[in-house]
Amino acid sequence: MTWLTWRQFRVQALAGLAGLALLAAYLVHLGLAIRGGDDAYRSRCGAGGDCARALAQYLGDYQNTLLYLAGLLALVPALLGMFWGAPLVARELETGTHRLVWNQSVTRTRWFTVKLLVVGVATIAVSGMASLLLTWAASPVDRLAGDRFSTIVFGARNVAPVAYAVLAFTLGTVVGLLVRRTLPAMALTVLVFTVVQFVVPNVVRPHLMPPVTVSRPMTADAINEARGLGSITGGPVVKGLTVPGAWVSGTSELRTADGRPLAQDRFDHCFRDPPRTGATGTFGDTAVCLARLDLHVVLSYQPDRRYWAFQWLESAIYLALAALLAGYGRWHVRRRVS
């Protein structure tokens, strides 16, 4: 049964191996270039130069490329689920070849389990190697950039991509088992997995561990450090505040000294028609106007030291979901498939 599964899977395996080889060659080249840039940055900074400018140039040379690669790696689990998982069972049920195997003294559950394990191991190998190479290549930049918790970067480093791939593959296999048609199963797998990948980082991840909270006064300098003021609906919020060495997972609306939300009309006055003071900075007179109101926000954040705890917790969630799907698939193929 193992040999038969491998023979049926060998074309997809060779295609995946070829793609992994191309990616590995590029990532090794990029990783060496990044390390050369890191040495150049440290020499410029250590020689009494402008460290801030050297750091900005170094990060600017590689961060965008690494973000594109992280986005590409984010597609790998979906592609594995689509092209390796969805057809694995659906194609056999669609063509009826599963009956031939079952008539050769191979039980249904053994047929399903062996197929799941053989291709699942290949899924772990491909996704793990891709994640390992990108993590190695990007490590000098990640160490200096301090954005390991960002949605794209977090999902493309270390163990999380492997867990994503395992879930995507198992999901595709079970969807194929239920749908029994290859193309619809492929489309449905991508759709469901995309929803999962949206919900987990935005809804589940911020609550995996209780955040640290801190009250931060909104001085003019603090407001000018933000990326934006106001919400889509014009609410009194400040966006893009940071905490050194931490992932800010939540920011309250602007509050007055007594803890109440800032009145909308007072925010609108400062935002649209602040007194002219000639202040500089990102928000200029608006920042000065708001600072005079003695405002603060409550920040919720996760320290960087919790990074590995989040990696393992999120991976455990994905692997648990994959195990539940695999268990359901074994039950379904034994009870419901004819």
Side-chain angles (χ1 to χ4, degrees):
M1 188 62 213
T2 302
W3 175 246
L4 175 62
T5 300
W6 164 249
R7 285 183 58 84
Q8 293 175 318
F9 173 65
R10 65 185 184 277
V11 174
Q12 297 99 308
L14 291 174
L17 185 61
L20 181 61
L22 292 174
L23 180 64
Y26 177 72
L27 287 176
V28 169
H29 169 75
L30 179 64
L32 295 175
I34 287 175
R35 279 153 178 77
D38 184 65
D39 292 339
Y41 151 71
R42 294 184 184 281
S43 64
R44 288 174 58 190
C45 184
D50 188 345
C51 288
R53 179 177 295 180
L55 177 60
Q57 181 178 346
Y58 172 57
L59 295 180
D61 288 342
Y62 298 108
Q63 266 191 312
N64 286 339
T65 299
L66 290 172
L67 282 176
Y68 294 143
L69 287 170
L72 176 63
L73 188 61
L75 295 176
V76 170
L79 293 175
L80 293 175
M82 181 179 181
F83 291 104
W84 287 12
L88 186 65
V89 173
R91 184 181 294 121
E92 295 222 39
L93 297 178
E94 192 172 16
T95 59
T97 54
H98 62 292
R99 297 189 183 94
L100 177 63
V101 179
W102 291 354
N103 287 328
Q104 304 299 316
S105 73
V106 176
T107 64
R108 300 175 181 212
T109 53
R110 182 188 172 198
W111 172 80
F112 178 80
T113 302
V114 170
K115 293 175 79 67
L116 198 65
L117 287 177
V118 170
V119 186
V121 169
T123 298
I124 293 172
V126 169
S127 60
M129 185 59 66
S131 174
L132 176 65
L133 287 167
L134 181 56
T135 301
W136 169 81
S139 58
V141 173
D142 290 344
R143 189 164 51 247
L144 294 172
D147 63 347
R148 295 195 301 171
F149 267 111
S150 69
T151 300
I152 296 177
V153 174
F154 184 91
R157 304 287 194 272
N158 299 302
V159 298
V162 180
Y164 299 166
V166 171
L167 176 61
F169 164 71
T170 309
L171 174 66
T173 304
V174 175
V175 168
L177 178 64
L178 298 175
V179 175
R180 296 189 172 208
R181 295 291 185 271
T182 302
L183 292 179
M186 293 169 72
L188 189 56
T189 297
V190 172
L191 176 62
V192 174
F193 186 70
T194 300
V195 171
V196 171
Q197 289 295 77
F198 176 81
V199 170
V200 171
N202 293 286
V203 179
V204 178
R205 186 183 300 163
H207 305 289
L208 289 177
M209 297 181 70
V212 178
T213 59
V214 63
S215 176
R216 181 172 180 180
M218 285 291 96
T219 63
D221 289 340
I223 293 172
N224 282 322
E225 291 175 4
R227 288 201 306 266
L229 284 175
S231 64
I232 296 177
T233 59
V237 298
V238 59
K239 297 179 288 188
L241 294 175
T242 60
V243 174
W247 164 45
V248 176
S249 57
T251 305
S252 72
E253 59 189 354
L254 289 166
R255 297 179 179 177
T256 58
D258 59 2
R260 296 180 180 179
L262 176 65
Q264 184 70 52
D265 57 344
R266 301 184 73 183
F267 176 79
D268 290 343
H269 169 68
C270 287
F271 189 75
R272 297 173 182 172
D273 189 26
R276 303 303 173 187
T277 63
T280 59
T282 305
F283 300 104
D285 294 332
T286 295
V288 174
C289 180
L290 290 172
R292 289 173 177 171
L293 300 178
D294 191 20
L295 303 174
H296 69 277
V297 295
V298 176
L299 297 176
S300 301
Y301 68 91
Q302 299 288 350
D304 279 352
R305 65 177 182 272
R306 296 181 177 179
Y307 171 81
W308 276 106
F310 272 79
Q311 278 272 322
W312 289 114
L313 285 170
E314 189 165 310
S315 298
I317 291 172
Y318 276 79
L319 293 176
L321 290 174
L324 289 174
L325 284 171
Y328 173 76
R330 280 175 54 90
W331 175 84
H332 187 85
V333 79
R334 184 174 67 248
R335 301 288 185 178
R336 301 291 184 178
V337 179
S338 59

